[in-house]
């Protein structure tokens, strides 16, 4: 079964749009990573103030290979631009194994 990694990101009030724009700019940066199955950026609506970055991987080794390699470059400013000031004021990694799932038609 797949594994899910959720990065719970604390973003100061009024900075959510900046975070969303940065993720939009690099939306497909991880698509070609071996074992990558999907990504979602979740905006808080009620009962939570953190953003959640949800990624799904075929296995732990695939995630670790990406984390220890290409993940660092995905967070850099685009070539020719000055380094960007961080948007988040904190983050926590939540880790899960998928034990049951459903998609339409299956």
């Amino acid at each position: 079964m797949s594994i899910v990694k959720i990065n719970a990101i604390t973003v100061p009030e009024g900075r959510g749009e900046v975070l969303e724009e940065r993720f939009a700019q690099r939306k497909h940066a991880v698509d070609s990573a071996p074992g990558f199955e999907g990504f979602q950026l979740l905006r808080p609506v009620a009962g939570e103030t953190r953003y959640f970055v949800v990624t799904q991987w075929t296995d732990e080794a695939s995630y670790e290979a990406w984390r220890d390699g290409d993940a660092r470059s995905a967070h850099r400013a685009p070539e020719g631009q000055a380094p960007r000031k961080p948007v988040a004021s904190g983050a926590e990694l939540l880790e899960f194994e998928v034990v049951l799932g459903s998609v339409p038609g299956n």
Side-chain angles (χ1 to χ4, degrees), residues 29-99:
V30 68
D31 287 2
S32 62
F36 177 72
E37 296 181 335
F39 152 85
Q40 292 178 311
L41 175 62
L42 306 179
R43 177 191 302 133
V45 177
E48 181 61 62
T49 58
R50 298 173 297 177
Y51 275 77
F52 289 88
V53 180
V54 181
T55 58
Q56 188 162 334
W57 301 85
T58 56
D59 54 45
E60 186 70 25
S62 295
Y63 167 75
E64 289 174 357
W66 173 79
R67 179 198 64 201
D68 297 340
D70 291 340
R72 290 186 177 97
S73 63
H75 290 89
R76 292 190 190 114
E79 182 123 356
Q81 291 185 9
R84 299 182 289 201
K85 181 179 177 182
V87 176
S89 61
E92 176 185 6
L93 182 64
L94 310 172
E95 303 178 88
F96 301 89
E97 289 181 337
V98 176
V99 294

Side-chain angles (χ1 to χ4, degrees), residues 6 10 13 16 21 26 29 36 38 44 46 52 70-71 77 90 95 98 103:
I6 302 173
T10 303
E13 190 172 331
E21 178 59 31
R26 63 179 197 255
F36 177 72
F52 289 88
D70 291 340
E95 303 178 88
V98 176
V103 294

